[in-house]
Amino acid sequence: MSLLRRVLVVLLIVALSAPIALVAQDEEEPQMGLWEACADPANLPEVVTIGAIFGQSGNISVYGIPQSQAVALAVEQINEANYLGEGVTLEVIYEDSAGANEQAIAAMTKLVEEDGVVAVLGPTLSSEAFSADPIAQENGVPVMGVSNTAGGITDMGEFVFRNSLPEASVIPGTIAQATEALGLEQVAVLYGNDDDFTISGYDVFVSALEENEVEILGEATFARGDVDFNAQLTQLVSLEPDALVVSALAAEATQIIVQARQLGYEGPIIGGNGFNSPAVLTNAGEASDGVIVGAAWNIASPEALSSLFSEAYEEAYGALPDQFATQAYTGAWLMATAIRCADSAESADVRDALAGITDFASPLGMFSFDEDRNPVHDPVVQIAQGGAFAVLGAEMAEE
């Protein structure tokens, strides 16, 4: 595709996507995709192959398995609807990163250099993305993180995207709403100091607490893989904070919640994106009541496309989706939309079309990429009650 044509594709998407993002599949049911904004492709090969790198084993499988399932569901819908044109099939090569940076690097290298995929979804963790995404960037292959929230992800290059709201977009609103609802004045902070995601979350938490004039009584740290947090929690709980603020991944988050309650702490625990998994609530049980976390999505979303996705996911897998599944599902549709609008399986064309997507109706709400290829849509603040996340409200926080 010529440069002029790429520019025209991007301009076409920007100009036409907003008013026609939703196309009625029938008179009552909305459907994903830019069906009218971008004409049916005419130049795609019979098979278009993308890659997906998710943590499908180890501790991060609580994120990676739902991500893989959601992408598979999206691709099934895309192909059944002939979204890429009659006779064109979208295929995905899945790779397991297992939460290990070296394994993520090997997976990205295989997909980009051996399999020749058009684009890649994932990896699951921000630390994996920092390790593996430069390979995609160097080879001119677009890569979209669907759960990378650490600062600096898209700074790796023009081929690096994400549709997962960064901590910097979610945590300030979480702290502001929690401060207002709970009357926070003093907190204690616990965070992992050897992981890009948890360090980034800690930095944003501190900034947000300062902005809301909430005093930090004390801080403590841990390392990824730790299972005993009693020493740190004993120290922090003795300070009698109004809330514990924690930046951790799911495995450590679960133990921190359980052990804090065992030590007698009954106050709120405010977490970052690592707490956003039903597995945290399931594994922590009743101890999770009072956990507060910001999110890109909640299953109570009034968006019609959110309800349709949740119903389809539950029917396919026998369980309700979480935020990570929703972002992965939306990511697959965004990537397919870029391929459709570019009418090309060339990675550079897909990158340009992806960068031009704005006001895309999705389960996450109306979605756009900003000029730095970061997501733009409204976040939500949640509180755990009775084993499920509900939208935080003043009346709930007082219970």
Side-chain angles (χ1 to χ4, degrees), residues 257-258 261 269 280-292 383-389:
I257 294 168
V258 170
R261 299 307 189 206
I269 300 174
V280 172
L281 304 189
T282 300
N283 295 333
E286 294 181 357
S288 67
D289 281 358
V291 166
I292 294 173
I383 183 168
Q385 289 187 331
F389 282 122

Side-chain angles (χ1 to χ4, degrees), residues 125-273:
L125 299 182
S126 295
S127 57
E128 296 173 328
F130 280 123
S131 298
D133 285 6
I135 298 167
Q137 173 66 30
E138 291 167 6
N139 285 272
V141 175
V143 55
M144 186 197 305
V146 294
S147 51
N148 303 151
T149 58
I153 288 290
T154 61
D155 293 342
M156 287 185 280
E158 62 179 350
F159 282 84
V160 181
F161 295 72
R162 64 174 158 189
N163 77 343
S164 42
L165 285 174
E167 296 283 63
S169 296
V170 177
I171 287 176
T174 304
I175 291 297
Q177 290 190 41
T179 298
E180 181 178 357
L182 304 172
L184 300 182
E185 296 182 355
Q186 299 174 319
V187 300
V189 178
L190 177 61
Y191 70 101
N193 64 354
D194 63 344
D195 179 89
D196 292 320
F197 161 76
T198 53
I199 293 172
S200 176
Y202 162 77
D203 290 338
V204 180
F205 267 127
V206 170
S207 177
L209 290 166
E210 291 175 350
E211 186 172 335
N212 286 274
E213 299 181 345
V214 178
E215 180 184 2
I216 298 175
L217 294 173
E219 297 182 353
T221 63
F222 60 87
R224 190 173 164 190
D226 285 356
V227 295
D228 185 352
F229 304 91
N230 280 286
Q232 298 98 316
L233 288 169
T234 298
Q235 172 204 342
L236 296 177
V237 170
S238 71
L239 300 174
E240 300 184 355
D242 296 328
L244 283 177
V245 173
V246 182
S247 183
L249 288 165
E252 291 79 22
T254 299
Q255 292 304 316
I256 289 169
I257 294 168
V258 170
Q259 291 172 27
R261 299 307 189 206
Q262 288 173 342
L263 288 170
Y265 178 72
E266 298 179 348
I269 300 174
I270 303 173
N273 199 42

Side-chain angles (χ1 to χ4, degrees), residues 93-95 105-117:
I93 299 175
Y94 295 92
E95 298 290 339
I105 291 172
M108 186 69 80
T109 301
K110 173 183 176 294
L111 290 171
V112 170
E113 298 183 0
E114 297 179 21
D115 298 323
V117 299

Side-chain angles (χ1 to χ4, degrees), residues 1 5 18 64 96 101 108 111 122 135 144 158-159 163 177 181 190 202 220 277 308 314 324 326 330 349 380 382:
M1 181 181 281
R5 188 175 177 188
D96 179 13
N101 294 349
M108 186 69 80
L111 290 171
I135 298 167
M144 186 197 305
E158 62 179 350
F159 282 84
N163 77 343
Q177 290 190 41
L190 177 61
Y202 162 77
S277 169
L308 289 172
E314 185 176 23
F324 300 98
T326 309
T330 301
D349 299 336
V380 62
Q382 310 171 112

